[in-house]
Amino acid sequence: MTTHDTPPTTAGRAPGAGAAAGGGTGATGAAPATPAASTRVRPQPRGWALAGTAAGLTGLVGIQASMALGINWEQTAGDADAIIADLSGRTATLLLFHTATIVSALLVVVFAAGLSRRLAQQAPAGSLLPSVAAGGLLLVAVAGLLGSGLDTQFMFGLADTDLIVPESGAFFSDWIATIPWLWVGAGLSGVAVAVAALRHAAAPRWLGWVGAVLGGLTLLLGISPLQYMAGFTGPLWLLVTAIGFAVGDRR
């Protein structure tokens, strides 16, 4: 009696056996699906950068309004009654100063959060630079919040100067001419962006140079006895940097 060996059929194979033997998938031996060689990267939202642009603009408006409120300081210096009389005729400017300063402070917080996230995407793992950049801007926000903190007390009280102690009004005049100008934190943020961009390529290089120049100058002015001069360069750094991230950054 003759017997014939017959090769096993695929019907009797265990599931996946064909893949193990022939490198395919299932019974057909087809090649496994692989992801596309290139995938389209979804652009990051830029709302935080637009918020920073608005923060820079309103910051500049607030600084200019503060200067306008003290335009007659030489004529009124040392005379509390004269200071109160001068401020009492500038209600519209006081309103502009308050609104611009507090809006800028709030928008700076949004920009700080976005900037930290953006730098963290390409900065070295565990780098302090994103946190330092955000922290410097939070100092700016606090200065703006405090700088506008006495406005309600005096802005409407100036409608009746008899209700204001002249020396308190003179102190308020000094307060709004100094505290909102404390933009030294923006200098710290600018330098952090400069290091992140120029050393670690975590941002466009030209924004790194903006941070090195305007941010560095703001930081030096803020450290010096001329610290209030940082109010001129700090908002400008913020404005240019925010515009750069909004329209010139493709990551």
Side-chain angles (χ1 to χ4, degrees), residues 92-111:
T93 306
L94 281 166
L95 286 169
L96 177 62
F97 163 76
H98 172 81
T99 304
T101 302
I102 196 64
V103 168
S104 179
L106 295 175
L107 292 175
V108 160
V109 175
V110 178
F111 181 72

Side-chain angles (χ1 to χ4, degrees), residues 23-77:
T25 56
T28 62
T34 57
S38 61
T39 57
R40 185 176 180 181
V41 179
R42 188 175 182 180
Q44 293 292 327
R46 292 285 180 250
W48 62 274
L50 296 177
T53 302
L57 286 172
T58 50
L60 288 171
V61 170
I63 292 297
Q64 293 300 315
S66 174
M67 291 180 63
L69 289 170
I71 194 170
N72 292 329
W73 71 271
E74 290 184 345
Q75 291 84 357
T76 60

